[in-house]
Amino acid sequence: MRSCSTEPVREHILIGLKGARNRMSGQDAVLDAAAAHVRRLLQEQVQRVERISKPVEWIDYSKLDTIVIGVIGGDGIGPIIAKETVRVMKELLKSELSSGRVRINEIPGLEIERRLKLMQPLPDDVLSEIRKCHVLLKGPTTTPEEGSGMANIESANIAIRRAFDLFANVRPVRIPSQGIDWVFFRENTEGEYMLGSRGVMVTPELAMDFKIITKPGAERIIRLAFEHARRTGRRKVTVVTKANVVKTTDGLFLETARRVAKEYPEISWDGWYIDVFTAKLIDEKRRRDFQVVVLPNLYGDIVTDEAAELQGGVGTAGSANLGARFGMFEAIHGSAPRMITEGRGAYADPLSLMRAAVMLLEHVGMLVQSRRLAMALDICALYEPKAKITGRPDGASASQFGDHVIATLRDPHLDSRWGSFQQK
Ligand code: NAD
């Protein structure tokens, strides 16, 4: 997650402020213009709270005749790792694809060059193709930064998350040799990011951004975390905030957790402050105690990258963006443009997106297939790393890794082979 477009709104406010300064002198005009902007934001948020408070029924994938999986390659190394992931999925889902239970729909048109040409973070035709799918596997997409020479359009990811209200970002991190088995539930739609491109330059010297936490927004992510703990037999949920300092918004998040936790008496929970929690993630004695972790957006963004680094780097981790009616599954890293310009794209690690595919299959209820892929990835990446990826020509290429995974999936003794490593 990188930059959001900041310029249009700021410019708008500054122009308003300059105009106001000419008409009325002094601070009042400045404050009135800023207050009018804040008022508009508040109105939108009040309407949004009403909208997300309405009960929504979660999609039941078992009732669908055909599950349509959309695939978007993305930018940079995205198409390279997506190609390998699709190859592996086609092997894994051979019978489901031939029976028509699953369809894979590759969607072109989200490339950065096209988004810039159309000046749309999510072109209309791409959005309507995504709407025809039940879940989406997405390679990383480039978001132009200020000063990059490209137009500063909004991130495609944020546009997709908003279009489908994908409020939960779920990221598992596992290091079996160290007893680490974490699942992070990061709130995906609120916090500092929600109005990240709509802050106010009140005066050229005074900048203000906004942090939003809503009761229904906090409740739905916290409930999802507790439900996950219950469903997977985990015994503990950790809630991370900075509620001792950021009292109103983080306070509401923590208060909501306290209330929701009462409905899950079999699961213990504890609250941590983000600073101590971040430190404890590298404390080998304490960190294996964490199981399910739920946090607001910004803290979740930072901590999950830290956790993925402990697992072996951002190239090893997948994530799910979930809403009640749609799910988007992706690698946690970006499009790694430097790997492309340095000619190393072919050596990108596709494990991240393949792990995302494991989550996708589990989410749609294909538990056997999801488990088989997870076992094959454990064998190829952790237990028998024949095709070790280094990101450089001294290591395996993405396609060699793909071959290794496909060969492993074809092993009739996959289960016992994987099991033999669990006893060691
Ligand atoms: P990045 O994650 O793309 O890359 C940082 C470094 O990590 C790379 O230079 C590379 O050395 C390494 N790396 C990342 N993925 C790897 C892989 N699969 N295999 C091997 N090495 C890998 O971070 P960045 O350079 O900050 O971002 C590049 C672009 O990606 C930006 O435009 C950013 O906005 C975008 N981005 C997109 C997403 C997304 O679509 N979900 C997420 C993050 C960043």
Side-chain angles (χ1 to χ4, degrees):
M1 289 245 325
R2 271 287 189 87
S3 56
C4 308
S5 161
T6 51
E7 283 318 299
V9 181
R10 283 207 183 140
E11 261 169 32
H12 170 81
I13 294 166
L14 281 172
I15 291 163
L17 291 173
K18 279 181 201 146
R21 277 198 203 102
N22 291 340
R23 284 193 305 279
M24 302 158 63
S25 60
Q27 270 184 2
D28 281 354
V30 170
L31 296 182
D32 284 352
H37 177 67
V38 174
R39 187 179 168 80
R40 267 195 305 279
L41 297 182
L42 292 176
Q43 277 168 338
E44 285 173 23
Q45 290 309 309
V46 169
Q47 284 163 8
R48 178 176 169 272
V49 169
E50 269 174 36
R51 225 175 27 248
I52 67 171
S53 297
K54 293 188 184 128
V56 192
E57 206 181 319
W58 283 70
I59 188 165
D60 181 351
Y61 294 97
S62 68
K63 300 225 167 82
L64 300 174
D65 292 333
T66 300
I67 296 172
V68 184
I69 303 174
V71 177
I72 291 183
D75 301 307
I77 62 169
I80 297 165
I81 60 174
K83 182 177 163 208
E84 294 311 314
T85 308
V86 169
R87 215 155 64 81
V88 162
M89 284 176 80
K90 284 185 175 165
E91 170 67 29
L92 180 71
L93 301 175
K94 244 183 209 158
S95 68
E96 291 78 5
L97 285 163
S98 64
S99 72
R101 171 81 181 114
V102 172
R103 206 170 69 229
I104 293 179
N105 182 12
E106 298 192 36
I107 305 172
L110 195 66
E111 303 76 28
I112 181 64
E113 297 77 12
R114 183 159 186 264
R115 282 182 279 139
L116 287 171
K117 191 166 159 215
L118 298 174
M119 280 307 285
Q120 280 188 302
L122 179 57
D124 298 335
D125 56 341
V126 176
L127 177 59
S128 79
E129 281 305 306
I130 299 176
R131 284 198 195 284
K132 294 177 192 159
C133 306
H134 299 108
V135 281
L136 179 68
L137 186 75
K138 182 187 149 292
T141 37
T142 297
T143 304
E145 288 176 10
E146 262 180 79
S148 66
M150 292 188 257
N152 200 4
I153 55 167
E154 192 185 38
S155 132
N157 257 11
I158 291 180
I160 297 174
R161 285 175 192 165
R162 193 169 42 230
F164 294 92
D165 197 17
L166 305 179
F167 66 86
N169 190 288
V170 187
R171 294 185 181 185
V173 167
R174 277 178 59 235
I175 314 175
S177 60
Q178 297 176 27
I180 289 175
D181 188 4
W182 300 323
V183 188
F184 293 91
F185 284 78
R186 162 188 165 196
E187 205 294 320
N188 219 10
T189 49
E190 301 193 340
E192 290 84 347
Y193 291 12
M194 175 164 216
L195 299 174
S197 55
R198 302 179 69 189
V200 190
M201 284 303 294
V202 181
T203 69
E205 293 81 31
L206 174 60
M208 277 184 79
D209 273 313
F210 304 98
K211 172 164 178 165
I212 308 285
I213 300 280
T214 67
K215 199 163 153 184
E219 180 161 338
R220 62 188 184 174
I221 185 76
I222 292 165
R223 196 172 288 287
L224 202 65
F226 274 92
E227 283 294 329
H228 180 85
R230 178 175 275 175
R231 192 164 50 80
T232 57
R234 288 180 165 87
R235 314 292 307 162
K236 194 165 137 197
V237 172
T238 298
V239 181
V240 181
T241 64
K242 189 70 188 172
N244 54 337
V245 176
V246 188
K247 292 182 190 293
T248 310
T249 46
D250 281 11
L252 177 61
F253 197 90
L254 188 58
E255 171 54 33
T256 306
R258 203 168 279 133
R259 183 166 47 78
V260 171
K262 290 193 182 124
E263 297 172 35
Y264 300 84
E266 78 280 19
I267 297 165
S268 68
W269 79 282
D270 54 5
W272 285 71
Y273 296 132
I274 180 65
D275 41 358
V276 191
F277 180 77
T278 310
K280 287 298 161 197
L281 271 195
I282 53 170
D283 176 343
E284 288 181 14
K285 279 188 233 102
R286 286 309 297 272
R287 64 186 180 189
R288 62 183 69 192
D289 295 344
F290 299 124
Q291 296 182 11
V292 174
V293 183
V294 57
L295 357 65
N297 203 342
L298 173 63
Y299 309 145
D301 194 11
I302 297 168
V303 157
T304 51
D305 271 19
E306 183 196 4
E309 199 60 37
L310 296 171
Q311 180 183 253
V314 291
T316 64
S319 76
N321 295 273
L322 304 179
R325 311 288 306 168
F326 194 76
M328 172 170 75
F329 298 79
E330 49 176 2
I332 74 160
H333 56 75
S335 53
R338 199 173 309 144
M339 290 190 80
I340 299 294
T341 52
E342 291 175 3
R344 295 187 287 120
Y347 300 94
D349 195 344
L351 182 61
S352 48
L353 201 58
M354 292 183 188
R355 292 254 187 236
V358 171
M359 300 179 77
L360 182 152
L361 294 168
E362 191 194 330
H363 185 69
V364 300
M366 296 191 163
L367 303 184
V368 174
Q369 296 85 339
S370 163
R371 190 173 142 72
R372 285 189 65 218
L373 182 54
M375 288 190 297
L377 295 182
D378 280 353
I379 289 171
C380 296
L382 301 175
Y383 305 140
E384 296 173 13
K386 269 189 219 145
K388 203 163 175 47
I389 302 254
T390 62
R392 298 182 176 276
D394 62 353
S397 66
S399 81
Q400 283 169 327
F401 186 81
D403 290 345
H404 190 198
V405 177
I406 289 172
T408 309
L409 282 172
R410 286 180 183 156
D411 180 354
H413 306 296
L414 174 62
D415 247 292
S416 56
R417 186 166 153 197
W418 181 84
S420 69
F421 291 102
Q422 308 313 302
Q423 287 128 34
K424 284 179 185 166

